[in-house]
Amino acid sequence: LLLYARYAERREARAEEGGTWPWLTYLGVAVCTLLALGAKGYAVILPGAYVAYDLCYARRFRWRQVLDKLPILALALALTLVTVWSQDQTSALIRDFEAKYQLGAWGRVVILFKVFALYVGRSLLPIHLCCEYMLTAEGWMPWWVGVAGLASLAGIVAGFFLLRRRLPAAALGLALCALPLATTMNTFFTLRTWMTDRYMFFPTLGTC
C-alpha cells in the first residue's frame, strides 16, 4: 500500500508535469501484490484499497486510475478462482455433508450482516474475544444484530464518501476498516466453526 501511494504520487506528477510513466514503481506494486496474494487470501482487498486511496488523494479523475487497476484486479480474481477450484466438492470450504446445520441463501445474507456487526463492535471494544465461534442449529444472535450490521456498513460507506475530500486520511481509515471485514463474508462457508477474532487485526489498524 505504501508502494502504491508512491506510485500514485508519481503518476499524478507525470500527468501534470509530463515525463515518463512510472512503470518501474507500478511493476513493484504488481509484484508485491502478487506476493501478498500468494501469502494470504486477505490480500484480495488490495485492489479495493488502491481504489480507495485514489478516491481520497487523487486530485482529479483520470482513466489511468482505472487502467492500472485492471491487471491487479485480474491477479486477485485469478487467485480467488484458483482457490475455489482447488477445493474438492467434499471440502469444508464448499460443502460439508456431515454438518447438521446448513444455511440457505437468505440465512447466509442475514448471518453475514450479523458477522459484520460483531466484528465492528469487537474492533472498537475488544472484549470477550475467542479463537473460534460455533454456529449451532438454533442460530446465533437476535435478528436486530443483522440490522445493526447493515446500518454499520451503510454508515461506513457514507462516512467514506463524506470525508474523502475533507479528511482523506480518516476516509482511508474507514475503507481499511471495512474492506478486510468484507473478506470474512465467505459466501461458501458451511462450517460449524465459522469465525475467529484473529480477523480483526487489519480492521483494528484501519480504525486506529
Side-chain angles (χ1 to χ4, degrees):
L1 185 56
L2 291 172
L3 192 58
Y4 182 81
R6 175 66 60 87
Y7 161 74
E9 291 172 2
R10 293 178 176 177
R11 181 191 60 203
E12 291 289 315
R14 185 258 185 188
E16 294 180 1
E17 302 168 9
T20 58
W21 180 59
W23 64 270
L24 193 59
T25 312
Y26 180 79
L27 182 62
V29 172
V31 169
C32 287
T33 302
L34 181 61
L35 292 173
L37 287 166
K40 184 70 175 169
Y42 226 12
V44 76
I45 70 153
L46 283 173
Y50 301 155
V51 170
Y53 184 89
D54 282 344
L55 288 173
C56 291
Y57 289 102
R59 297 182 187 90
R60 50 174 295 190
F61 172 79
R62 293 185 175 87
W63 281 108
R64 170 62 69 182
Q65 297 167 17
V66 176
L67 296 176
D68 62 18
K69 305 298 183 302
L70 296 180
I72 292 171
L73 188 61
L75 286 174
L77 182 61
L79 182 79
T80 302
L81 293 175
V82 167
T83 301
V84 173
W85 175 80
S86 66
Q87 305 293 324
D88 58 53
Q89 287 301 300
T90 59
S91 167
L93 178 66
I94 306 297
R95 187 179 301 134
D96 185 353
F97 294 105
E98 297 180 358
K100 297 178 181 178
Y101 183 58
Q102 297 289 343
L103 291 171
W106 175 247
R108 287 170 186 254
V109 170
V110 171
I111 207 163
L112 290 178
F113 281 119
K114 290 180 179 182
V115 170
F116 194 85
L118 191 69
Y119 274 150
V120 169
R122 290 184 184 273
S123 295
L124 298 174
L125 187 64
I127 60 172
H128 303 301
L129 304 182
C130 184
C131 63
E132 64 182 21
Y133 294 92
M134 304 301 288
L135 185 63
T136 66
E138 293 77 30
W140 197 60
M141 296 183 289
W143 64 269
W144 57 264
V145 178
V147 175
L150 178 59
S152 299
L153 182 59
I156 288 174
V157 172
F160 172 82
F161 283 102
L162 286 172
L163 296 173
R164 71 185 185 95
R165 291 303 183 194
R166 288 181 292 174
L167 291 170
L172 186 61
L174 287 175
L176 293 179
C177 177
L179 285 170
L181 289 177
T183 66
T184 68
M185 295 187 170
N186 183 356
T187 353
F188 299 105
F189 78 81
T190 53
L191 285 170
R192 293 175 64 80
T193 302
W194 55 280
M195 174 181 152
T196 60
D197 282 326
R198 65 190 175 90
Y199 287 110
M200 292 197 309
F201 179 67
F202 283 115
T204 304
L205 290 182
T207 305
C208 293

